[in-house]
Amino acid sequence: MLEDALKQALHLTDDALQAGQAEVMEVRTPITGELLTKVMTHTPEQLSSAIGDAHQAFLQWRTVPAPVRGELVRRFGNTLRAKKAQLGKLVTLEAGKIVSEAEGEVQEMIDICDFGVGLSRQLYGLDIASERPEHKLSERWHPLGPIGCITAFNFPVAVWAWNAALALVCGDPVVWKPSDLTPLCALACHGLLQETIAEFDEAPEGLSRVILGWKEIGEAMTADRRLPLISATGSTRMGQAVGAAVGGRLGRSLLELGGNNAMILTPSADLDLALRAITFGAVGTAGQRCTTLRRLIVHRSLKDEVVARLQSAYQTLRIGDPRDADTLVGPLIHSHAAEAMADAIKQAKEQGGAVWGGGGATGPGIPKGGAYVHPAIVEIDASAEVVGCETFAPILYVLEYESLEDAIALQNSVDQGLSSAIFTEQFREGERFLSPAGSDCGIANVNLGTSGAEIGGAFGGEKDTGGGRESGSDAWKNYMRRQTQTVNYGSALPLAQGVEFG
Ligand code: UN1
């Protein structure tokens, strides 16, 4: 079924290419750098008609009762359950994630579908006390319209699912522009959803669309007023462009952008637990999560011991083909990512950092043609400029602190504000970190790492991370419009504020 969906969705036609309507997008696997296939990109006209289809679908879908919309999402979640291993394999092939993390990503899709199903009976409004007699004042949530969704390569299926499951339950179709590095994952997900839609009488065909292309097609999408919400994941630079374009037409944007996540390691920390959390956080997904741990702020008294233990833990990490069961660190997405990592390490050295690891990884079990690297640990002064930059690679900057106040200030000193953590056995330290004067991030954790958030919480961050919140909690409100409704069920017409008129 997945293969069929993929085949159907792959729309490489020589005719359209020859007519000059589209360009070819090459799809490579980061495992070996080999060409997997070529897909055709969409033209601005195709984008426009996809948005038109989604708009038509919206006019119908918004009147379908929300619990019935939830049933579509329930069925899609079941399809994903059945396809978990297969879809996971595609994520591994196209994004280079190890099998367990790739399947974990599909699990996030399943989880958000379940969450959406529950939500489909809980899109609650408010009953508000009216100041006027025999008046009913209330607040109700209505479907918003087709959603434009722009996603990054590093979570090629889950982030779309966070958006799509909630949007569909809220009554909105989704037009998806995936990363040009992971179009097959997008076509497969869309194909599976299309199959679920085709078997569901109440669901119009145009509920889901995928648009392939580069920056220009993304810009056309953000400019289109028929998409009242653009939900975008990617770099801060991309988010600034999206935010400005969507803001310029007074649309809504939901931005989930760069992170520069830190963990504070206090003297009372349970070091065994912390070391596991640091290792997964810093090298999981080869350092390519937006929640990756990038800065370890460790108490001066612990620093040498922690660095030594981390180095020996890192030495046992198996780097190599992500399809092998014992691999823990797969490839970076492409050679440019390895170059960016090498450049950051060079800068760190120039800025006084002591670098351990970080070179290219070759040897038995490491496929040729992929960008495999040894994760790096860099002891560096907190004021070094490079520490403020997010490099999408496994580089962990180790900074030291003396007072908790200083550690929190350091944690908050970067432009980004996505995820943060503290390891402590001291109740007061943990609570201070979570207090209004503590972490300034969208996510703050005590005694666990910065990455691997559950879908039930709102996901996103402050400052240069863009301020958006996706997935759990009340993130669904992004996908709906709020209406304040007043009903006069009496036989007089009292005016608000006691105004008398005639
Ligand atoms: C991302 O990297 O864009 O919290 C999303 C995590 C995952 C999601 C990451 N659940 O690490």
Side-chain angles (χ1 to χ4, degrees), residues 212-244:
L212 303 181
W214 291 277
K215 201 172 152 211
E216 295 69 30
I217 208 88
E219 285 168 356
M221 215 171 136
T222 52
D224 200 307
R225 294 177 65 86
R226 292 171 296 173
L227 299 173
L229 168 68
I230 300 286
S231 172
T233 303
S235 66
T236 295
R237 211 173 54 178
M238 180 276 282
Q240 281 162 341
V242 170

Side-chain angles (χ1 to χ4, degrees), residues 478-499:
N478 287 297
Y479 305 86
M480 302 199 87
R481 65 184 169 90
R482 182 200 312 244
Q483 188 167 69
T484 302
Q485 303 182 337
T486 312
V487 176
N488 174 5
Y489 56 88
S491 45
L493 191 75
L495 299 179
Q497 296 89 43
V499 172

Side-chain angles (χ1 to χ4, degrees), residues 83-363:
K83 298 289 158 203
K84 184 172 171 181
Q86 275 170 284
L87 194 52
K89 272 189 184 139
L90 188 59
V91 171
T92 296
L93 191 67
E94 209 180 20
K97 290 192 184 193
I98 62 169
V99 175
S100 169
E101 289 192 62
E103 289 189 3
E105 199 186 332
V106 183
Q107 187 59 46
E108 275 199 50
M109 303 176 80
I110 297 167
D111 293 343
I112 195 72
C113 286
D114 287 357
F115 185 87
V117 177
L119 203 55
S120 71
R121 290 178 185 268
Q122 301 176 76
L123 302 172
Y124 298 139
L126 273 182
D127 187 16
I128 303 166
S130 169
E131 67 190 49
R132 285 173 280 191
E134 299 181 317
H135 276 58
K136 186 183 78 169
L137 178 59
S138 55
E139 190 171 277
R140 199 167 154 199
W141 292 91
H142 288 310
L144 182 67
I147 307 305
C149 182
I150 298 174
T151 58
F153 79 86
N154 66 329
F155 271 79
V157 295
V159 172
W160 165 78
W162 295 350
N163 284 279
L166 296 197
L168 289 172
V169 160
C170 291
D172 308 329
V174 179
V175 180
W176 181 14
K177 187 206 154 298
S179 161
D180 53 77
L181 298 166
T182 53
L184 300 186
C185 284
L187 293 172
C189 291
H190 166 71
L192 291 174
L193 179 56
Q194 286 283 83
E195 285 178 7
T196 316
I197 290 169
E199 287 165 10
F200 194 78
D201 289 346
E202 292 85 346
E205 193 277 330
L207 281 182
S208 172
R209 287 289 182 267
V210 171
I211 290 296
L212 303 181
W214 291 277
K215 201 172 152 211
E216 295 69 30
I217 208 88
E219 285 168 356
M221 215 171 136
T222 52
D224 200 307
R225 294 177 65 86
R226 292 171 296 173
L227 299 173
L229 168 68
I230 300 286
S231 172
T233 303
S235 66
T236 295
R237 211 173 54 178
M238 180 276 282
Q240 281 162 341
V242 170
V246 179
R249 62 173 170 91
L250 300 182
R252 274 191 215 171
S253 50
L254 196 178
L255 303 173
E256 198 254 285
L257 312 173
N260 190 347
N261 316 297
M263 179 195 289
I264 298 173
L265 200 53
T266 68
S268 71
D270 178 331
L271 275 192
D272 292 337
L273 282 195
L275 283 159
R276 285 175 55 200
I278 296 165
T279 309
F280 175 66
V283 310
T285 326
Q288 300 172 109
R289 288 190 187 216
C290 55
T291 50
T292 291
L293 177 65
R294 309 210 176 274
R295 297 177 296 139
L296 182 64
I297 303 171
V298 49
H299 192 266
R300 182 166 289 179
S301 63
L302 296 178
K303 191 173 149 212
D304 292 345
E305 181 192 350
V306 167
V307 169
R309 286 183 67 179
L310 269 180
Q311 288 170 349
S312 49
Y314 272 35
Q315 266 154 354
T316 66
L317 291 171
R318 178 130 192 306
I319 302 166
D321 192 322
R323 293 167 295 192
D324 294 347
D326 50 354
T327 295
L328 288 176
V329 186
L332 293 178
I333 191 69
H334 46 41
S335 57
H336 300 306
E339 284 158 21
M341 177 172 174
D343 186 52
I345 287 176
K346 185 168 157 267
Q347 285 181 47
K349 281 182 185 155
E350 285 164 5
Q351 292 166 24
V355 177
W356 182 93
T362 50

